[in-house]
Amino acid sequence: MAWNTNLRWRLPLTCFILQVVMVVLFGVFVRYDPEADAHWIEKRHGNISSDIENDFYYRYPSFQDVHVMIFVGFGFLMTFLQRYGFGSVGFNFLLAAFGIQWALLMQGWFHSFHDGYILIGVENLINADFCVGSVCVAFGAVLGKVSPIQLLIMTLFQVTLFSVNEYILLNLLQVKDAGGSMTIHTFGAYFGLTVTWILYRPNLAQSKERQSSVYYSDIFAMIGTLFLWMYWPSFNSAVSNHGDAQHRAAINTYCSLAACVLTSVALSSALQRKGKLDMVHIQNATLAGGVAVGTAAEMMLMPYGSLIVGFICGIVSTVGFVYLTPFLESRLRIQDTCGINNLHGMPGIIGGIVGAVTANEASIAVYGQEGLKKVFDFEGSKSGWSPRKQGQYQAAGIFVSLAMAFVGGAIVGFILKLPFWGQPADENCFEDEVYWEVPEAEKSNSYHHEDTTLKPMAS
Amino acid sequence: MAWNTNLRWRLPLTCFILQVVMVVLFGVFVRYDPEADAHWIEKRHGNISSDIENDFYYRYPSFQDVHVMIFVGFGFLMTFLQRYGFGSVGFNFLLAAFGIQWALLMQGWFHSFHDGYILIGVENLINADFCVGSVCVAFGAVLGKVSPIQLLIMTLFQVTLFSVNEYILLNLLQVKDAGGSMTIHTFGAYFGLTVTWILYRPNLAQSKERQSSVYYSDIFAMIGTLFLWMYWPSFNSAVSNHGDAQHRAAINTYCSLAACVLTSVALSSALQRKGKLDMVHIQNATLAGGVAVGTAAEMMLMPYGSLIVGFICGIVSTVGFVYLTPFLESRLRIQDTCGINNLHGMPGIIGGIVGAVTANEASIAVYGQEGLKKVFDFEGSKSGWSPRKQGQYQAAGIFVSLAMAFVGGAIVGFILKLPFWGQPADENCFEDEVYWEVPEAEKSNSYHHEDTTLKPMAS
Amino acid sequence: MAWNTNLRWRLPLTCFILQVVMVVLFGVFVRYDPEADAHWIEKRHGNISSDIENDFYYRYPSFQDVHVMIFVGFGFLMTFLQRYGFGSVGFNFLLAAFGIQWALLMQGWFHSFHDGYILIGVENLINADFCVGSVCVAFGAVLGKVSPIQLLIMTLFQVTLFSVNEYILLNLLQVKDAGGSMTIHTFGAYFGLTVTWILYRPNLAQSKERQSSVYYSDIFAMIGTLFLWMYWPSFNSAVSNHGDAQHRAAINTYCSLAACVLTSVALSSALQRKGKLDMVHIQNATLAGGVAVGTAAEMMLMPYGSLIVGFICGIVSTVGFVYLTPFLESRLRIQDTCGINNLHGMPGIIGGIVGAVTANEASIAVYGQEGLKKVFDFEGSKSGWSPRKQGQYQAAGIFVSLAMAFVGGAIVGFILKLPFWGQPADENCFEDEVYWEVPEAEKSNSYHHEDTTLKPMAS
């Protein structure tokens, strides 16, 4: 089975149309948040004591860290493939650049719509990055097997569905999910897994030799791993309440991630006959602790609670890479290139459960009278809620996210299956040369394996 | 034509002399800004409400992002050459480390000189990095064709000229240029292009095979690209007014850069026969949106305005790489190694124009009474200025920057042409081995092409 | 001499036991600092004017920068070895992830223990990273010659000794050491050198060919160098007093590092017969200025004072690499893989001396009445101290740190010499394949040298 992978007119047209639509919609709908508007100086007289109270200074450093995670973190994490470095970093760049624009609109309509305008500030930028984070997660499942056009289409739909799911969780169910264990990771992972299940390629073994790493590609991938790992405390605290909540979320994430590294290393060595460490586990499983502490990071999870979460997730994730990923591929026909089920799927669900349990156990003794109200927004429409009710709604959020992921992923998967998106042939998967100008020296003189010449493509 | 490239005494002497001069001048002139001085605690009693009002907390996170752009961003962006990774990162490191010291002095005399002393604080550090940014831009034009001594000489002169030009623009013409579309990019690019025009090498084709990339060098370059792209919102907002202006500048830059990625990808694919993407465009053209929104970022450009700017620049820059760079080289004898005309030159001019137009269109309706005054400093010596006048002065700033760049670049080019700076022979350009100890294994066993042995150098 | 390097049960067990102990101790001892606790909202009413006064906003951006230095900075700096990239980044990741947990406890008992609980906030996270920084320094001395189990054992002991030494310096001697010239660098370097002296391997020449770099490994290492260099101003200012002290510490470090680059380059060229630059010096000596300004960064060292410190350290460090490291290895049997004596040892001592002299010279004229008190804590138990006394105690701190390093390093060295920690044989040092699954392609087709096959290991 082979398709025409020459994207000369299709990719430019797709990009142009999407970008023109963005310009028009931004023109009609998007304006500055009052704190980013030049009128602010008038408005704030008498209200706020000083410039430093602008939300910009509470959130901008975290925003930049999150930005690095999306573009360098996810982009480089996926460069582990020996011949897909351009595609990993480059397509991630492309889809994220489009996705953040569309997310500003979608999330804006749901959350920042005032008098006919979406008013954007730094918090919107963070949330747009978050939303795209879930697309980057899903990208991991289909990495190397789809065209950039398919990625843009997937981004268009996934951002839309993400925003709907997020609205249901945050506004209708009124759950807390600061670090997005449910909205970003659970949704993103199972959406991506459903898509790759629909796009199943029975003959993928033909490009098997390119589906592994080489020495330098593994080191490049560690750049991604480390920037994700280091900045995850910013990720989980970026949109928390000002003050103690942001502070606490960073501490909890720091602890969880640290514990996760040790159990990942332990399992990686224990599950290999010669006790050697596997870079795949170090690159991925060490991050599961950040995923799983996403929902509860701003709650009073306690440092030891965070360590326990990280402890468990390092184990679950590494075991998943060793046993579950091969099983999913051989039995369930789910080809999960990066093992996102292990890094985002299962840890995301664990994160949702941890959040539900932590909310359920919340008490005035632990949070204080005011603290309990503030952390869970037990005011206004939620006044009268008990921690127990919050916990139940949190749990419901997991199932809603999963349902949205499965249904949405199936629909989008079928759309992506249409034969005119320029997808690569089975024997050319995981190969940059399909969509990129690869430097001459590399083509004639590949130093990793003899056969990188592409099969001619019948259309 | 071959020169003596043994720098054993010349490079050490140059470094030592420059550094000793820096020490002496700092000793005579440089002291701490009041907000960085231990006397501050006495001074602030009664004045400022708290430590958090120290300018440090408004600007330090942005400073660090800018710092990363200068050293990792520019340094790694230039590692795309197959045999010039050491020179790209290493010489950029050297010239920037010298340049920031000299810039602290030059900009200090013009802008922070009080009672015989230059008083430096975090804003001075940012501005010094900015100034050096323009040298890094110019470095891109001469990359691989000059010696480190030439780079230090160029830095010495370019920082000087930059500071004069900046003084003319900001203090005499009183233009706004927060992100430096004119002062940094336009000036830096056309300065560098003029220098490389003067240094024209008719036989550069002799090192043609090294002027391209290899697989890993392209991935290294993406590290530079992404850190520039991600932190550009900090660059354009770093020295804006506190509060809404900084907030707005970050949003505008974020939007412009996102749009720029899509049109760069579109054109890259459309202009290649097989529709494949070219890493050169992804590495460079995607950044043009950040350059072009530099002047207007802190103005009420509106998010859709930013998208339009990015949209246009992605196109202009990619088209420039495909058609203009070869034309400049073959017809105008301008050998622009990194294509800085496409990334900094044309987008810089566009940025100046966007700034002039945006200022011209400013109104109380859009900015508010106070906001208009604050954004454009229509107070003190500028009270009575109209937006229209501001727009005209902004436009004048473009021409002044260009004139300074051409005249200054020509003079500096002739100085650099003197035969004793240790420049490489034509056949050894783009080759680390001229100035660096390259690991043994690489010399004997180059894995990218057969012939990397250096021609013997006659002196 | 060959040991069994199969870590299958030993490494997992070590990780598990350490991590379980951490969970238990955190459960018993660690809670949130008031500013990270949900009760904060109640407590702060009436006390602090607003959320932005939370220590989180003063320190979090610096914390993230320090975090990057520890994990990416140190990790990648050590990737310069041609076949030890996985071990450099991966083991650094492992030991730091464990070390920060143990440091939170050890430092917590000494400095943040209230009513039976260690209360942690963002400053504790920074200090834990600092403590681990000293372990990363020591790791540089033994890089490639030890097993991950040995590294975990070393971390356990070194963090403990670090905390005791830090307590002696900061609480008993009451010295100032914001950037840790003494506590982190001097202690870490001489601890590591003592350990590697005890672990002396007479036949290390057998893996000589792997102890050098290759082209790409040197470029990877520059990622580490640059992130250390760029973020060092955050390192030295991270735990300084709010306001002017933090501001000043960043400026001083910026200046010192800039000067250091020029003299490193000068010496690197001058000490090589052909005047070529050596990447080892650019990667390491350029950072010595940050080490040496650590103690005095928050004092009124003056920008020119910082330049002089950097100036000297670039020279000392480069000369050390060229002459001292070979001498230490051949005569004193100290095998210092990364040359930490040149980057951290000597510059750390210089930093301690600079701090002592700067404190000794402090005066009301320079600091102001209040400023002098605030910078040196001349209040409470230290009221009545003179700058002269402070200077003397600072000097004493250097000797205490050295003594702790030598004694502690010797003890730990002997423990690590026990034959059951899975250390590599002499001929397999500096080789990832001992402890890592290395991609197949690399094993059979090494492109850097012919012989990477491991000798069979007798147990």
Side-chain angles (χ1 to χ4, degrees), chain B residues 111-125:
Chain B
H111 302 289
S112 309
F113 201 62
H114 304 286
D115 301 329
Y117 290 115
I118 296 165
L119 304 183
I120 63 171
V122 64
E123 196 171 337
N124 298 69
L125 306 189

Side-chain angles (χ1 to χ4, degrees), chain B residues 6-9 11-12 15-16 18-20 22-23 26-27 30-32 35-42 44-45 50-52 54-57 60-61 63-64 67-68 71-72 76 82-86 89 91 93-94 97-98 100-101 104 120-122 125 128-129 214 216-217 220 223 227 231 432-439 441-442 445 447-448, chain C residues 52-53 57-58 61-62 65 213-216 218-220 222-223 225-227 229-234 237 241-244 246-248 250-252 254-255 257-259 261-263 265-267 269-279 282 286 299-304 306-308 311 315 364-371 374-375 447-449:
Chain B
N6 185 328
L7 306 180
R8 186 161 187 194
W9 299 115
L11 180 58
C15 289
F16 266 118
L18 290 175
Q19 191 56 56
V20 169
M22 290 301 111
V23 171
F26 269 61
V30 181
R31 297 294 180 272
Y32 301 112
E35 298 192 58
D37 193 288
H39 285 95
W40 189 56
I41 187 169
E42 268 119 320
R44 91 179 153 77
H45 280 159
S50 98
D51 280 322
I52 199 81
N54 195 305
D55 195 41
F56 183 77
Y57 301 104
Y60 189 71
F63 157 66
Q64 277 293 7
H67 217 39
V68 172
F71 289 87
V72 159
F76 272 87
Q82 59 186 265
R83 293 287 300 177
Y84 212 68
F86 293 6
V89 171
F91 294 157
F93 192 17
L94 173 63
F98 164 63
I100 54 179
Q101 298 178 60
L104 281 176
I120 63 171
V122 64
L125 306 189
D129 272 29
V214 288
Y216 289 137
S217 72
F220 277 118
I223 297 174
F227 276 100
Y231 286 158
D432 271 334
E433 226 184 306
V434 184
Y435 302 116
W436 296 86
E437 286 284 291
V438 175
E442 314 294 317
N445 173 20
Y447 33 99
H448 303 126
Chain C
I52 198 83
E53 291 281 351
Y57 301 104
Y58 286 95
S62 307
D65 295 348
S213 63
V214 288
Y215 196 66
Y216 289 138
D218 267 328
I219 299 180
F220 277 118
M222 282 303 292
I223 297 174
T225 298
L226 288 176
F227 276 100
W229 194 91
M230 297 179 304
Y231 286 159
W232 217 296
S234 295
S237 67
N241 287 331
H242 295 167
D244 61 287
Q246 246 184 312
H247 202 151
R248 190 163 58 243
I251 294 170
N252 286 333
Y254 178 95
C255 288
L257 284 164
V261 174
L262 272 90
T263 52
V265 168
L267 267 286
S269 172
L271 297 179
Q272 212 270 353
R273 200 169 50 81
K274 292 184 183 165
K276 294 187 183 183
L277 298 169
D278 189 328
M279 275 306 256
I282 309 305
T286 53
M299 303 178 191
M300 292 289 283
L301 180 59
M302 295 296 156
Y304 68 87
S306 308
L307 289 188
I308 293 170
F311 189 101
I315 296 171
I364 291 173
V366 175
Y367 290 77
Q369 190 92 37
E370 296 280 318
K374 198 178 169 204
V375 169
Y447 33 99
H448 302 128
H449 46 86

Side-chain angles (χ1 to χ4, degrees), chain A residues 49 52-54 57-59 61-62 65 82 212-220 222-223 225-227 229-235 237 240-248 250-252 254-255 257-263 265-267 269-279 282-283 286-287 297 299-304 306-308 311 315 364-372 374-375 442 446-450, chain C residues 5-9 11-12 15-16 18-20 22-23 26-27 30-42 44-45 49-52 54-57 60-61 63-65 67-69 71-72 76 79 81-86 89-91 93-94 97-98 100-101 104 120-126 128-129 148 152 214 216-217 220 223 227 231 432-443 445 447-448 454:
Chain A
S49 57
I52 199 81
E53 291 281 352
N54 194 305
Y57 301 103
Y58 286 96
R59 306 217 179 271
S62 307
D65 295 348
Q82 59 187 265
S212 58
S213 63
V214 288
Y215 196 67
Y216 289 137
S217 72
D218 267 328
I219 298 180
F220 277 118
M222 282 303 292
I223 297 174
T225 298
L226 289 177
F227 276 101
W229 193 91
M230 296 180 303
Y231 286 159
W232 216 297
S234 296
F235 192 93
S237 67
S240 290
N241 287 331
H242 294 167
D244 61 287
Q246 245 185 314
H247 202 152
R248 191 163 57 244
I251 295 170
N252 286 333
Y254 178 94
C255 289
L257 284 163
C260 190
V261 174
L262 272 90
T263 53
V265 168
L267 268 286
S269 172
L271 297 180
Q272 212 269 354
R273 199 169 52 81
K274 293 183 183 166
K276 294 186 182 184
L277 297 170
D278 189 328
M279 276 306 257
I282 309 305
Q283 284 158 8
T286 53
L287 299 168
M299 303 177 191
M300 292 288 285
L301 179 60
M302 296 297 156
Y304 68 86
S306 308
L307 289 188
I308 293 170
F311 190 102
I315 296 172
I364 290 175
V366 174
Y367 290 76
Q369 190 91 38
E370 296 279 318
L372 190 64
K374 198 177 169 204
V375 169
E442 314 293 317
S446 168
Y447 33 100
H448 303 127
H449 47 84
E450 296 311 299
Chain C
T5 57
N6 185 330
L7 306 180
R8 186 160 186 194
W9 299 115
L11 180 59
C15 289
F16 265 119
L18 291 174
Q19 191 56 57
V20 168
M22 290 302 113
V23 170
F26 268 62
V30 181
R31 297 295 180 271
Y32 300 114
D33 182 273
E35 297 192 57
D37 193 287
H39 285 95
W40 189 57
I41 187 170
E42 270 119 319
R44 90 180 154 78
H45 281 159
S49 56
S50 99
D51 280 323
I52 198 83
N54 194 306
D55 196 41
F56 183 76
Y57 301 104
Y60 190 72
F63 158 66
Q64 277 293 9
D65 295 348
H67 217 39
V68 172
M69 292 173 73
F71 289 87
V72 160
F76 273 88
T79 58
L81 290 172
Q82 58 186 265
R83 293 287 299 176
Y84 212 68
F86 293 7
V89 170
F91 295 156
F93 192 17
L94 173 63
F98 164 62
I100 54 179
Q101 298 177 61
L104 281 176
I120 64 171
V122 65
E123 196 170 338
N124 298 68
L125 306 188
I126 297 170
D129 271 29
L152 287 169
V214 288
Y216 289 138
S217 71
F220 277 118
I223 297 174
F227 276 100
Y231 286 159
D432 272 332
E433 226 185 304
V434 183
Y435 302 117
W436 296 86
E437 285 284 290
V438 175
E440 278 305 317
E442 313 292 316
K443 288 189 201 167
N445 174 20
Y447 33 99
H448 302 128
L454 293 179

Side-chain angles (χ1 to χ4, degrees), chain C residues 347-415:
Chain C
I349 293 176
I350 293 172
I353 296 169
V354 169
V357 172
T358 310
N360 189 68
E361 301 300 318
S363 68
I364 291 173
V366 175
Y367 290 77
Q369 190 92 37
E370 296 280 318
L372 190 64
K373 269 191 207 161
K374 198 178 169 204
V375 169
F376 295 102
D377 290 327
F378 288 160
E379 289 167 313
S381 67
K382 283 174 84 177
S383 67
W385 278 44
S386 67
R388 192 172 166 71
K389 184 171 177 187
Q390 180 74 35
Q392 289 164 342
Y393 277 67
Q394 294 282 142
I398 306 172
F399 293 100
V400 172
S401 298
L402 284 170
M404 288 289 293
F406 292 133
V407 175
I411 295 168
V412 174
F414 281 113
I415 294 170

Side-chain angles (χ1 to χ4, degrees), chain A residues 146-327:
Chain A
V146 293
S147 76
I149 299 176
Q150 286 177 300
L151 289 171
L152 288 169
I153 305 288
M154 186 177 91
T155 305
L156 178 69
F157 286 105
Q158 194 179 347
V159 166
T160 310
L161 290 162
F162 174 98
S163 304
V164 172
N165 185 52
E166 187 187 46
Y167 179 76
I168 296 173
L169 264 67
L170 303 192
N171 295 51
L172 304 186
L173 295 177
Q174 305 199 71
V175 309
K176 304 295 287 181
D177 195 14
S181 294
M182 295 180 282
T183 54
I184 300 168
H185 299 288
T186 303
F187 172 76
Y190 291 102
F191 181 92
L193 290 168
T194 310
V195 168
T196 199
W197 177 64
I198 304 281
L199 297 181
Y200 179 67
R201 287 168 178 266
N203 302 314
L204 194 58
Q206 292 181 17
S207 48
K208 200 77 190 173
E209 85 279 7
R210 278 191 301 268
Q211 213 183 333
S212 58
S213 63
V214 288
Y215 196 67
Y216 289 137
S217 72
D218 267 328
I219 298 180
F220 277 118
M222 282 303 292
I223 297 174
T225 298
L226 289 177
F227 276 101
L228 287 169
W229 193 91
M230 296 180 303
Y231 286 159
W232 216 297
S234 296
F235 192 93
N236 285 346
S237 67
V239 296
S240 290
N241 287 331
H242 294 167
D244 61 287
Q246 245 185 314
H247 202 152
R248 191 163 57 244
I251 295 170
N252 286 333
T253 310
Y254 178 94
C255 289
S256 176
L257 284 163
C260 190
V261 174
L262 272 90
T263 53
S264 298
V265 168
L267 268 286
S268 182
S269 172
L271 297 180
Q272 212 269 354
R273 199 169 52 81
K274 293 183 183 166
K276 294 186 182 184
L277 297 170
D278 189 328
M279 276 306 257
V280 172
H281 309 150
I282 309 305
Q283 284 158 8
N284 291 280
T286 53
L287 299 168
V291 172
V293 87
T295 303
E298 62 180 2
M299 303 177 191
M300 292 288 285
L301 179 60
M302 296 297 156
Y304 68 86
S306 308
L307 289 188
I308 293 170
V309 172
F311 190 102
I312 293 167
C313 284
I315 296 172
V316 169
S317 188
T318 310
V319 170
F321 275 103
V322 176
Y323 297 114
L324 203 54
T325 300
F327 173 83

Side-chain angles (χ1 to χ4, degrees), chain B residues 356-429:
Chain B
V357 172
T358 311
N360 189 68
E361 301 300 318
S363 66
I364 290 174
V366 175
Y367 290 76
Q369 190 91 38
E370 295 280 317
L372 190 64
K373 270 191 207 162
K374 198 179 170 202
V375 169
F376 294 103
D377 290 327
F378 288 161
E379 289 167 314
S381 68
K382 283 174 84 177
S383 68
W385 279 44
S386 67
R388 190 171 167 71
K389 184 170 178 188
Q390 180 74 33
Q392 289 163 343
Y393 277 67
Q394 294 283 140
I398 306 171
F399 293 100
V400 172
S401 298
L402 283 170
M404 289 288 293
F406 292 134
V407 175
I411 296 168
V412 174
F414 280 113
I415 294 170
L416 296 183
K417 215 168 178 171
L418 298 174
F420 43 78
W421 304 123
Q423 45 269 69
D426 290 347
E427 64 268 30
N428 295 335
C429 284

Side-chain angles (χ1 to χ4, degrees), chain A residues 414-435:
Chain A
F414 280 112
I415 293 170
L416 296 184
K417 215 169 178 169
L418 297 173
F420 43 78
W421 303 124
Q423 45 268 67
D426 290 348
E427 63 268 30
N428 295 335
C429 284
F430 315 115
E431 171 60 57
D432 271 334
E433 226 184 305
V434 184
Y435 302 116

